[in-house]
Amino acid sequence: MSTKQTLMNRKKPKKKKKDKSRKKIAGDAAEQPEVIPQCRMPRIDDLKEEQLEIFAQNCWLVSLIENKVPVKEALRRLGINRSERSVRHLMHRYKKDGRKGLFDRRWLKEAQAKVLTPIVKKIALAMFFAWPAAGARALWKELCKECQKRNITEPGESVVSKFFASLPEPYRLFREGKLGIRKWEQQGAPVVRYENTTFANERWQGDHSPIPIWVRAKEDGIWKPFRAYLSALLDAHTRSIAGFIVSIKYPDSWVIALLFHRAIMPKRRKTWKNQGFPFVFQSDRGKDFVSRAVAATLGRLGTLPDPDPPCYPNRKGKVERFFQTLDSGCLRLLPGHMDAIGRSDGAAAKRVNELLTLPQLCQEIERWIDEDYHRRTHSETGRKPAELWEETVRLRLPESEDDLNLLLLKDDVARTVKNIGIDFTLNGARHTYMSPVLLDHYKSKVRIAYNPEDLESVLVYDSGTGKFICEAFDMRSDNPHFNVDDVKKWRSQYRRGMKERIKEYFEEVYLEDRRCTRADEWDEARQQAAKAQEEELLRDATSEDEAEDDEDVILLLEEFRRRDRGETNGEE
């Protein structure tokens, strides 16, 4: 038997039958043939410089050849180093595909994923939403199992992790269910911005936030670093700041009460014109903003509250944006910023001597608001906040100081004004409050109203009548508003004024004595004239001289009668 017959008699190997028992997954995730997307024609503005140059040359060549210019002549005119055969192929593509034929075919190719195909991405997204608590590794393992069932190439773990990390933020939010959808509505949903105010002091927005700067304060006689919190009230129409306060602990109801008191009353800086109370106050639903003292005071002033829904901070975005402006424009230029020295307590403790105190930080923020923020053009209003406030304000001021008394704590102890001021001790800390007005109330009984979170100043009232006297400042503060030299100057001025007033009193008493003496002389003359009339001197007159004396007496009596009737001739 020949070798050829031996090879022919061998049995051919049977072809393996396809395993038709494999289960198919119903639904959209079932196996489907992969559809290769058609190549799109690129946009001209998407081409690179080299591609644009080639595209322009092709356009010129086609234009010349269509105008009966030979190929060789067209290449010569354009100075293009290209073969005539390539130009004929270009014309063939142009007649077949039109403008698309002028592009290089390599530009039309789009990179196709070999492993992470559209089918694999679709399965991965289905698992991503089906198991919202699963991590990337767990999802990758389940994806590999599904790819094995479908006889699809399995992607690597890093590829799947990068795919999940590249998903848009709305995908991650909606994966969380109701909480994610609410978060999307709060932060990611499109917002229609509109102005709901027409004049200044129509609507205030209030909020507080931690600020990224360290401050120092004494605790048991030792300087220690503390985090700072800022509370601010912003006029929604002009973007000007009605008032602010900085504290070293999270603001509570008394801090907000003091904030309103400072915002409503005139400022110590004469160029800071903001004052009065608003028609509407907008805030969140925190207990500090809806406290009894604040609510009662606003109700008495006629201000309508407009609290935001819970967990919707974007409704008062104007005051939220101010905190960022303050950080970039002011805080980053001051010592102690957290981005400069660190955010840990240990890093701040190492440089505690470089930090600002709380009053110093307040002065820097107040100066920046008044001299910088209020004096530059705002990007949204197109006006300077200070100028726009003065032009459009509808000013409403409280009728009396009593309308704001609920915003401060009152001390029930009657205190005596000493020559050094008013002594006050709270939580073991001693304070001495002084003001030039208190010199007129030396040794008088007074009561004070204060805020326990800010003892830099107190309000002084008369103990008997309850009448407001003045605002006094702490002389024992780390950065006192007044110093000893100021007190000495007040005392000298007060002494000089007392001497001048006493001199005026003496002059007035002297003049009064002269008037009294002149009145006594008239009374004596009146008595003598009456006596002369009683003795009937006129009847017994015999000589002319006596007659002249009698006429003088008669004239004098007539003058007395006129004075008794109030008919004076301008002489005293």
Side-chain angles (χ1 to χ4, degrees):
M1 185 180 293
S2 64
T3 306
K4 185 177 180 179
Q5 291 177 348
T6 304
L7 292 174
M8 292 176 62
N9 292 332
R10 285 183 181 177
K11 294 182 178 180
K12 295 181 180 180
K14 295 182 179 180
K15 294 182 179 180
K16 292 183 179 180
K17 296 182 179 180
K18 294 183 179 179
D19 186 8
K20 297 181 179 181
S21 61
R22 184 168 56 86
K23 296 181 179 179
K24 295 184 178 181
I25 299 177
D28 294 335
E31 184 178 357
Q32 298 176 357
E34 216 172 301
V35 179
I36 300 176
Q38 296 181 355
C39 298
R40 65 176 182 86
M41 186 172 66
R43 293 170 54 89
I44 295 179
D45 53 359
D46 293 337
L47 298 179
K48 300 178 181 178
E49 293 294 332
E50 297 178 358
Q51 296 173 351
L52 280 173
E53 184 179 357
I54 296 173
F55 177 74
Q57 292 175 359
N58 293 342
C59 292
W60 292 335
L61 283 171
V62 170
S63 178
L64 290 175
I65 293 172
E66 286 184 341
N67 288 289
K68 308 303 180 180
V69 178
V71 176
K72 191 173 182 179
E73 178 65 18
L75 292 173
R76 188 188 65 78
R77 289 186 184 182
L78 297 176
I80 300 174
N81 187 11
R82 190 181 300 182
S83 65
E84 297 180 14
R85 183 180 179 183
S86 63
V87 177
R88 285 193 291 268
H89 282 300
L90 175 65
M91 292 300 299
H92 177 72
R93 294 199 309 267
Y94 177 71
K95 292 178 181 179
K96 180 181 178 180
D97 299 331
R99 184 185 174 191
K100 186 176 180 181
L102 300 179
F103 292 95
D104 193 330
R105 293 180 180 178
R106 291 170 294 183
W107 306 345
L108 306 179
K109 291 183 179 179
E110 295 182 357
Q112 297 293 329
K114 296 181 180 180
V115 178
L116 200 62
T117 60
I119 293 296
V120 177
K121 289 182 179 179
K122 192 171 183 179
I123 299 172
L125 282 176
M127 293 180 176
F128 182 76
F129 288 107
W131 293 297
R137 182 174 178 80
L139 293 176
W140 169 71
K141 289 183 178 180
E142 295 296 327
L143 180 61
C144 291
K145 294 178 182 179
E146 189 64 27
C147 289
Q148 290 175 3
K149 293 179 181 180
R150 296 168 179 261
N151 197 18
I152 302 175
T153 305
E154 303 172 9
E157 180 182 357
S158 61
V159 175
V160 176
S161 299
K162 291 180 181 178
F163 171 68
F164 289 143
S166 64
L167 292 176
E169 185 65 23
Y171 280 55
R172 303 178 189 177
L173 294 177
F174 278 81
R175 187 191 184 201
E176 299 176 5
K178 293 183 178 180
L179 295 178
I181 294 174
R182 176 176 294 181
K183 190 175 181 181
W184 161 256
E185 292 177 352
Q186 296 171 3
Q187 300 180 0
V191 177
V192 178
R193 304 191 66 179
Y194 65 95
E195 292 293 336
N196 55 354
T197 57
T198 56
F199 56 88
N201 277 6
E202 180 180 1
R203 176 182 290 266
W204 283 3
Q205 291 185 359
D207 198 6
H208 44 249
S209 171
I211 53 179
I213 191 171
W214 294 97
V215 295
R216 61 172 180 165
K218 281 189 176 181
E219 190 177 68
D220 299 331
I222 302 175
W223 288 107
K224 292 184 179 180
F226 290 90
R227 300 176 185 271
Y229 298 87
L230 176 71
S231 303
L233 295 176
L234 177 139
D235 181 67
H237 182 67
T238 63
R239 309 303 198 270
S240 61
I241 302 301
F244 77 94
I245 188 171
V246 183
S247 58
I248 58 176
K249 74 173 187 177
Y250 196 81
D252 55 10
S253 59
W254 287 113
V255 174
I256 304 304
L258 181 61
L259 172 64
F260 269 96
H261 191 276
R262 290 185 175 180
I264 294 172
M265 299 302 294
K267 310 298 184 290
R268 285 179 286 185
R269 280 178 167 262
K270 301 302 181 183
T271 53
W272 192 344
K273 302 295 185 180
N274 290 68
Q275 59 178 313
F277 52 88
F279 290 81
V280 180
F281 173 61
Q282 181 181 351
S283 68
D284 53 28
R285 293 183 177 270
K287 293 183 179 180
D288 42 13
F289 282 110
V290 295
S291 62
R292 293 181 179 178
V294 175
T297 302
L298 293 180
R300 185 170 180 177
L301 296 175
T303 299
L304 298 177
D306 184 18
D308 295 339
C311 305
Y312 277 84
N314 56 351
R315 190 169 177 261
K316 56 180 188 306
K318 297 174 184 177
V319 67
E320 298 280 355
R321 183 64 179 86
F322 167 74
F323 294 136
Q324 298 181 14
T325 305
L326 174 67
D327 180 33
S328 60
C330 176
L331 300 182
R332 291 185 177 273
L333 303 177
L334 302 178
H337 196 277
M338 292 183 178
D339 288 349
I341 67 174
R343 297 181 178 272
S344 63
D345 296 338
K350 293 179 182 179
R351 308 178 69 171
V352 65
N353 294 329
E354 303 175 8
L355 306 179
L356 299 176
T357 61
L358 197 62
Q360 290 174 345
L361 178 60
C362 291
Q363 288 182 0
E364 291 294 333
I365 296 177
E366 182 179 359
R367 179 197 59 78
W368 176 80
I369 291 176
D370 184 30
E371 299 179 2
D372 188 352
Y373 178 75
H374 280 175
R375 305 298 168 185
R376 69 169 182 241
T377 303
H378 198 274
S379 59
E380 291 191 10
T381 62
R383 298 290 305 280
K384 297 178 181 179
E387 294 181 357
L388 186 58
W389 188 90
E390 291 187 45
E391 293 178 6
T392 62
V393 66
R394 294 186 184 179
L395 189 59
R396 296 193 305 167
L397 293 173
E399 296 180 357
S400 65
E401 290 285 339
D402 294 336
D403 294 339
L404 302 179
N405 285 349
L406 291 175
L407 296 178
L408 297 176
L409 286 176
K410 278 195 172 182
D411 186 26
D412 296 332
V413 179
R415 304 177 185 276
T416 303
V417 179
K418 302 179 181 179
N419 58 348
I420 58 173
I422 303 173
D423 287 332
F424 176 62
T425 303
L426 183 66
N427 298 329
R430 185 180 177 186
H431 306 273
T432 302
Y433 295 98
M434 188 60 180
S435 174
V437 183
L438 293 179
L439 295 175
D440 294 329
H441 299 269
Y442 177 61
K443 288 191 175 182
S444 300
K445 295 293 183 179
V446 296
R447 299 181 188 273
I448 63 175
Y450 64 95
N451 188 295
E453 304 300 334
D454 185 5
L455 295 175
E456 290 294 321
S457 64
V458 296
L459 300 182
V460 184
Y461 295 85
D462 187 89
S463 179
T465 62
K467 183 180 179 181
F468 175 74
I469 297 177
C470 66
E471 181 181 8
F473 297 88
D474 188 10
M475 297 288 293
R476 298 178 180 270
S477 173
D478 298 328
N479 190 16
H481 194 76
F482 304 120
N483 52 32
V484 178
D485 295 336
D486 294 332
V487 177
K488 290 181 179 179
K489 183 174 65 175
W490 299 338
R491 290 177 178 174
S492 300
Q493 293 176 354
Y494 185 79
R495 189 183 299 109
R496 191 182 307 111
M498 285 295 296
K499 290 182 178 179
E500 293 178 357
R501 286 196 294 272
I502 291 174
K503 184 178 179 180
E504 293 176 358
Y505 295 156
F506 274 120
E507 291 178 357
E508 186 174 352
V509 169
Y510 176 74
L511 294 176
E512 184 65 24
D513 291 343
R514 291 290 302 273
R515 287 193 292 269
C516 293
T517 303
R518 185 173 297 177
D520 294 341
E521 291 176 353
W522 279 105
D523 291 340
E524 185 177 357
R526 184 195 300 269
Q527 294 176 3
Q528 292 179 1
K531 184 177 180 182
Q533 187 177 16
E534 292 176 357
E535 293 177 355
E536 297 181 353
L537 296 177
L538 296 176
R539 296 180 181 178
D540 301 334
T542 55
S543 64
E544 295 180 357
D545 295 336
E546 291 177 352
E548 292 178 357
D549 293 338
D550 293 340
E551 292 178 359
D552 293 338
V553 173
I554 293 172
L555 293 175
L556 186 60
L557 289 175
E558 291 180 354
E559 178 67 21
F560 287 147
R561 294 189 187 97
R562 284 198 305 272
R563 285 181 175 273
D564 292 340
R565 292 194 302 268
E567 299 175 359
T568 61
N569 57 358
E571 299 179 0
E572 293 185 0

